[in-house]
């Protein structure tokens, strides 16, 4: 009798039932739009000075610089274009360039033969079809050799004040990380983001997102722990979350270092990038500053 009581007392209790975990509801379109616009407002406070990081004085210079920026850094382009524009200041001058001489001037930007072909083609088209002037319409710009929607939107937004969304590698990456779209194709990314934001915001939104991609939300090691919009980002955690380690990943003016422009706007908080005053023995422009390592392909 005693033994049965002991056995009964020692019998294991049935396991308590675990509370069912409710699956997280997917974000509604309205909630996503509200979150996206809040991210834009936060980035506007962080980068009130956001601007194109290519040096230019007129629409032709911006067009050429943007074509050269494919698969290289804006700093490298900015180090290359002073000599280029000194020799070929107008579309007429560049259209008449000796291909080999043009190639040598733009060699530091990489893919110089293809880029020289594009520059000769677009300059000739500007001379022959547009009276030597850069057109202010997207449908005209994209007919120029080497000019796609990204390049056209850069020129329209920053030389003509026509709103446009510039989908480069940085913008596309952040648009997906922010959950604004899952699209990979730049044209589809542009359309998806355009549906979220007012037209008046498109150009500055592009600058802010690209600035953030270059300075904080990098391709390989995002500085999540130092990101001011981390609380609004569904991709938080894909990068370094430790605040101290993340702070060490910040770039350009956020890290107290120069940006990519040699001639930045007067209200830019960082120093100008290192000027290319030294020339390497082979005649190429010396790379005097550390760039972000990711090209801005069109």
């Amino acid at each position: 009798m005693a033994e049965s009581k002991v056995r009964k007392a020692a019998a294991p209790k049935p396991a308590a039932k675990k509370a069912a975990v409710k699956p997280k509801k997917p974000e509604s379109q309205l909630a996503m739009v509200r979150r996206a616009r809040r991210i834009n407002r936060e980035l506007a406070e962080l980068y009130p000075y956001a601007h194109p990081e290519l040096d230019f004085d007129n629409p032709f210079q911006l067009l050429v610089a943007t074509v050269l920026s494919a698969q290289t850094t804006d700093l490298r382009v900015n180090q290359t274009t002073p000599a280029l524009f000194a020799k070929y200041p107008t579309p007429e001058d560049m259209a008449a360039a000796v291909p080999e001489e043009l190639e040598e001037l733009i060699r530091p930007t990489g893919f110089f033969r293809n880029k020289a072909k594009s520059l000769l083609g677009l300059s000739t088209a500007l001379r022959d079809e547009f009276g030597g002037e850069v057109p202010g319409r997207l449908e005209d710009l994209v007919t120029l050799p080497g000019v796609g929607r990204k390049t056209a939107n850069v020129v329209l937004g920053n030389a003509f004040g026509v709103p446009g969304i510039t989908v480069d590698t940085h913008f596309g990456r952040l648009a997906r990380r922010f959950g604004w779209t899952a699209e990979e194709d730049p044209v589809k990314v542009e359309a998806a983001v355009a549906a979220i934001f007012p037209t008046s915001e498109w150009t500055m939104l592009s600058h802010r997102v690209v600035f953030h991609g270059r300075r904080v939300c990098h391709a390989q090691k995002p500085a999540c722990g130092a990101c001011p919009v981390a609380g609004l980002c569904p991709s938080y955690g894909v990068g370094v979350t430790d605040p101290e380690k993340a702070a060490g990943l910040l770039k350009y003016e956020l890290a107290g270092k120069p940006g990519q422009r040699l001639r930045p706007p007067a209200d830019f908080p960082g120093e100008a990038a290192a000027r290319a005053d030294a020339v390497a023995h082979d005649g190429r422009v010396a790379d005097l500053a550390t760039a972000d390592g990711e090209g801005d392909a069109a």
Side-chain angles (χ1 to χ4, degrees):
M1 191 76 166
E3 184 179 354
S4 64
K5 286 182 178 180
V6 171
R7 287 180 178 175
K8 186 176 181 180
K13 295 181 180 179
K17 291 184 179 180
K18 292 183 178 180
V21 178
K22 294 183 179 180
K24 189 175 181 180
K25 292 183 179 179
E27 185 178 41
S28 69
Q29 178 69 15
L30 178 59
M32 184 275 288
V33 170
R34 287 175 174 169
R35 180 174 57 80
R37 293 184 178 186
R38 185 176 171 190
I39 288 175
N40 183 38
R41 291 194 298 271
E42 295 285 343
L43 294 181
E45 291 186 10
L46 180 63
Y47 308 113
Y49 46 82
H51 62 279
E53 294 193 89
L54 292 168
D55 290 329
F56 69 97
D57 293 320
N58 55 56
F60 177 62
Q61 289 188 2
L62 178 58
L63 176 61
V64 169
T66 307
V67 169
L68 291 177
S69 70
Q71 300 297 327
T72 190
T73 62
D74 287 354
L75 173 59
R76 183 64 70 111
V77 174
N78 291 338
Q79 291 173 331
T80 303
T81 50
L84 177 67
F85 295 140
K87 187 165 187 176
Y88 309 115
T90 68
E92 291 83 359
D93 294 321
M94 192 168 288
V98 175
E100 292 76 15
E101 294 179 2
L102 178 59
E103 288 175 3
E104 191 59 31
L105 277 173
I106 66 173
R107 181 187 290 268
T109 68
F111 303 96
F112 58 92
R113 289 191 178 90
N114 286 336
K115 290 179 180 179
K117 185 178 179 180
S118 294
L119 295 185
L120 287 169
L122 71 84
S123 296
T124 300
L126 291 177
R127 180 194 66 191
D128 297 345
E129 301 172 27
F130 297 99
E133 299 292 333
V134 175
R137 300 195 313 161
L138 187 142
E139 51 265 43
D140 292 329
L141 284 167
V142 295
T143 67
L144 301 174
V147 177
R149 288 185 66 90
K150 186 206 88 166
T151 297
N153 280 328
V154 169
V155 173
L156 290 174
N158 299 287
F160 294 99
V162 178
I165 294 173
T166 302
V167 183
D168 67 356
T169 54
H170 302 286
F171 192 97
R173 178 177 72 251
L174 267 66
R176 288 184 287 275
R177 284 182 178 170
F178 287 155
W180 297 351
T181 180
E183 298 289 352
E184 295 282 344
D185 180 76
V187 176
K188 293 181 179 179
V189 172
E190 180 185 343
V193 176
I196 297 172
F197 297 93
T199 305
S200 59
E201 284 290 306
W202 288 356
T203 298
M204 286 308 300
L205 170 73
S206 299
H207 291 323
R208 294 163 191 154
V209 171
V210 171
F211 256 57
H212 196 61
R214 286 175 170 164
R215 288 152 177 76
V216 180
C217 195
H218 313 131
Q220 300 301 323
K221 290 185 178 180
C224 292
C227 179
V229 296
L232 298 169
C233 181
S235 298
Y236 174 78
V238 300
V240 177
T241 57
D242 178 82
E244 187 173 345
K245 292 180 179 178
L249 298 174
L250 299 177
K251 294 183 179 180
Y252 303 124
E253 77 280 1
L254 295 188
K257 298 179 180 179
Q260 297 202 76
R261 292 190 71 160
L262 303 183
R263 297 183 289 116
D267 59 348
F268 186 72
E271 301 174 14
R275 291 188 177 276
D277 295 322
V279 179
H281 67 279
D282 61 356
R284 299 182 186 180
V285 178
D287 187 8
L288 301 180
T290 301
D292 65 356
E294 182 178 348
D296 298 320

